[in-house]
Amino acid sequence: MLKNIKREKWGSKIGFILAAAGSAVGLGNIWKFPYLAGENGGAAFILIYLFSVIVIGLPLIYAEIVIGRTTNRNPVGAFVSLSKNHPFWRLLGFLGVIAGFAILSYYSVVAGWTIGYIIEAIKGTFYSFSSPTDAANHFNTLIGNSYWNVSYFILIMILTMSFVYFGVQKGIELGSKIMMPLLFIILLVLVVRSLTIENSNLGLSFLIKLNWSAVRPETFLLALGQAFFSLSLGMGAMLTYGSYMDKKDSIISSGFSVVTLDISVAILAAFAIFPALFAVGMEPNAGPGLVFHTLPIVFAKMQGGYFFAILFFILLALAALTSTISLLEVITAYFVDEKGWSRKKAVIVFGSFTILLGIPSALSFNVLSNLTINSLNFFDLIDFISSNIFLPIGGLLISIFVGYFWGKEKSIANLKQGSESFFDKFYWFGNIWFFFIRFVSPILIFLVFLRSLGII
Ligand code: PHE
């Protein structure tokens, strides 16, 4: 049974939207989405991505939010309460908390690089590069330095912990209300700069011309996987944020806003990057090195690049930080709800544990680089297990739980709360949503999962 303790809540509907958009908008949008689009046909990939978000992202984000809001609990407590303490579903909640812990530990290492790169940009280091190879070498020297890597990682963790420490309203919500608008402003400034650069039309046409020849069957799976990760699905981050939502607020419109913001940032990031990139004569298909190897050269070559480079890495750091906050909040909520810990104690204890778990990831590029399992270093391994295994399994089980165990009547009734007028008009919406959750999402997520394991 649910204990009736006083639980924290968002101060406003927009508080939830910005915090959840903060979780969704992250390195996935600004680092990964543009390079995926660059490698997979530009506009064609963007279209496939939009399709993926509609079929997989939207139904699942609604499912997670409604589970959280109905139970007012962290992932473990939520599944325990809805399944009447069934051990299997309790395990699903744990999977989420553990995935949060694991993702936080390596994601913060990359988040640390973004802060390190703000400093590099300020120092003007990029002006000494004449080719992407120079930039790549410099990047490898930096991450090859264990002090550099570990210090920035710890710095990000401390920043993350300070926001979560002050609670849902005074920490996470307030932080998101400042950081998210700032992020949008910076992004818009960068888009305008990129579009006004001479010869920006080359990059622009790459982004709006449908190039289906670069689309392979696996592009669809990549896009589905990206939609999933980008919306922070499968590990209970949206569920936990949903658990602080008021029953009077509409899940339909809040969830829709989060998804729209997430897509917009990903697409705008591509518009901020490619026109400038093409204008200085670089190739769009640099892959994962795009942000740290290619962009520094773009900045070094463009007018005002010094200033825009600093802005760009601040943008990345803000995006990463609002995501790490949501990851730590999942773990914190578990200890607060289930173990009766104070928030402050949970943050300090589990923030410190995450630092311990993350240190081997930070050392994977230097002192521990020879420690590999199946040619994956520690960082790659944690990334692989959490993003390619835990998240898809989590998402699959969440849709199965809602579709087959919680059931249509209860889930739709809870989804309706706060969106009554929407459901009056679109009375069929609940059925369509449920159909997607019960039949479409499990199949698609299963395919993404097989692909992540390299089976298809
Ligand atoms: N959505 C974040 C991104 O795009 C990553 C993330 C995944 C955050 C899962 C929280 C939970 O970078």
Side-chain angles (χ1 to χ4, degrees):
M1 267 321 281
L2 293 181
K3 285 169 265 162
N4 260 331
I5 47 167
K6 179 113 182 73
R7 207 159 172 278
E8 291 178 272
K9 255 185 181 198
W10 303 113
S12 57
K13 182 175 165 187
I14 188 76
F16 165 79
I17 295 176
L18 290 178
S23 170
V25 171
L27 298 167
N29 304 59
I30 300 169
W31 162 71
K32 194 161 184 194
F33 179 82
Y35 88 68
L36 286 178
E39 289 179 326
N40 291 280
F45 182 80
I46 297 182
L47 270 191
I48 296 173
Y49 182 68
L50 288 180
F51 167 79
S52 309
V53 167
I54 292 168
V55 296
I56 214 173
L58 209 52
L60 215 63
I61 202 171
Y62 285 151
E64 282 206 26
I65 300 175
V66 73
I67 293 174
R69 211 224 359 213
T70 305
T71 56
N72 291 129
R73 281 291 175 279
N74 65 92
V76 177
F79 289 109
V80 163
S81 133
L82 292 181
S83 72
K84 310 214 166 41
N85 206 3
H86 192 288
F88 180 79
W89 297 115
R90 167 191 284 266
L91 212 62
L92 170 58
F94 270 117
L95 187 73
V97 176
I98 293 170
F101 183 45
I103 297 177
L104 180 59
S105 77
Y106 81 86
Y107 191 90
S108 304
V109 173
V110 182
W113 299 344
T114 66
I115 300 211
Y117 263 68
I118 300 177
I119 308 295
E120 293 301 302
I122 293 176
K123 290 201 306 208
T125 312
F126 305 154
Y127 287 100
S128 61
F129 305 151
S130 51
S131 71
T133 322
D134 289 348
N137 288 342
H138 184 70
F139 175 71
N140 290 330
T141 314
L142 289 177
I143 65 169
N145 178 336
S146 47
Y147 291 107
W148 189 86
N149 238 5
V150 172
S151 338
Y152 284 117
F153 158 63
I154 294 181
L155 178 63
I156 274 280
M157 278 306 302
I158 292 174
L159 286 172
T160 307
M161 286 159 72
S162 6
F163 283 100
V164 180
Y165 184 91
F166 288 108
V168 173
Q169 276 191 31
K170 294 206 181 90
I172 305 175
E173 182 167 350
L174 186 65
S176 310
K177 279 185 172 162
I178 299 169
M179 290 190 278
M180 292 310 284
L182 194 61
L183 183 149
F184 277 105
I185 295 171
I186 298 181
L187 187 56
L188 290 178
V189 170
L190 291 169
V191 171
V192 171
R193 174 66 194 122
S194 185
L195 291 178
T196 48
I197 216 166
E198 214 181 317
N199 289 331
S200 66
N201 53 334
L202 292 171
L204 196 60
S205 63
F206 172 75
L207 283 175
I208 53 185
K209 218 189 308 149
L210 289 167
N211 170 14
W212 292 106
S213 64
V215 171
R216 301 152 287 157
E218 84 151 24
T219 305
F220 288 86
L221 293 175
L222 274 176
L224 285 167
Q226 170 66 8
F228 205 76
F229 185 78
S230 184
L231 288 167
S232 309
L233 296 172
M235 46 73 65
M238 289 299 165
L239 186 158
T240 306
Y241 275 10
S243 75
Y244 303 123
M245 195 168 159
D246 197 287
K247 300 260 193 286
K248 289 195 293 292
D249 287 337
S250 163
I251 295 182
I252 302 296
S253 72
S254 310
F256 188 78
S257 310
V258 173
V259 170
T260 315
L261 289 173
D262 187 63
I263 297 176
S264 318
V265 171
I267 296 179
L268 286 173
F271 277 85
I273 292 175
F274 289 114
L277 187 94
F278 276 85
V280 298
M282 314 272 297
E283 291 296 318
N285 52 357
L290 180 69
V291 163
F292 295 105
H293 303 177
T294 315
L295 285 188
I297 304 285
V298 175
F299 291 124
K301 288 192 183 175
M302 91 193 203
Q303 227 178 23
Y306 175 80
F307 178 66
F308 292 107
I310 300 175
L311 279 185
F312 179 80
F313 287 103
I314 293 181
L315 170 76
L316 259 186
L318 287 174
L321 184 59
T322 47
S323 297
T324 53
I325 290 173
S326 73
L327 289 161
L328 184 58
E329 178 58 23
V330 174
I331 312 167
T332 305
Y334 167 71
F335 282 92
V336 171
D337 291 346
E338 305 303 308
K339 304 284 170 205
W341 286 23
S342 75
R343 162 173 292 276
K344 299 189 159 77
K345 174 176 164 192
V347 167
I348 293 173
V349 173
F350 277 86
S352 312
F353 269 122
T354 313
I355 293 182
L356 288 182
L357 180 67
I359 284 181
S361 283
L363 296 180
S364 295
F365 304 93
N366 35 70
V367 287
L368 295 182
S369 59
N370 290 329
L371 181 76
T372 56
I373 302 174
N374 235 342
S375 77
L376 298 177
N377 61 27
F378 191 83
F379 175 98
D380 298 331
L381 194 70
I382 296 265
D383 172 17
F384 182 80
I385 295 176
S386 47
S387 323
N388 293 15
I389 300 183
F390 287 181
L391 290 190
I393 292 188
L396 183 66
L397 292 177
I398 292 172
S399 50
I400 291 179
F401 178 80
V402 175
Y404 296 87
F405 291 86
W406 197 21
K408 185 166 173 175
E409 224 165 279
K410 287 191 202 137
S411 59
I412 297 184
N414 282 292
L415 189 65
K416 259 187 199 166
Q417 261 190 7
S419 306
E420 288 79 5
S421 52
F422 174 86
F423 276 86
D424 284 345
K425 257 192 249 137
F426 303 100
Y427 53 88
W428 41 263
F429 184 85
N431 286 335
I432 303 272
W433 168 74
F434 195 77
F435 174 82
F436 270 81
I437 282 293
R438 193 174 157 105
F439 300 110
V440 183
S441 318
I443 296 173
L444 291 180
I445 301 174
F446 190 62
L447 290 177
V448 172
F449 182 48
L450 292 182
R451 141 99 181 112
S452 335
L453 296 182
I455 297 174
I456 52 172

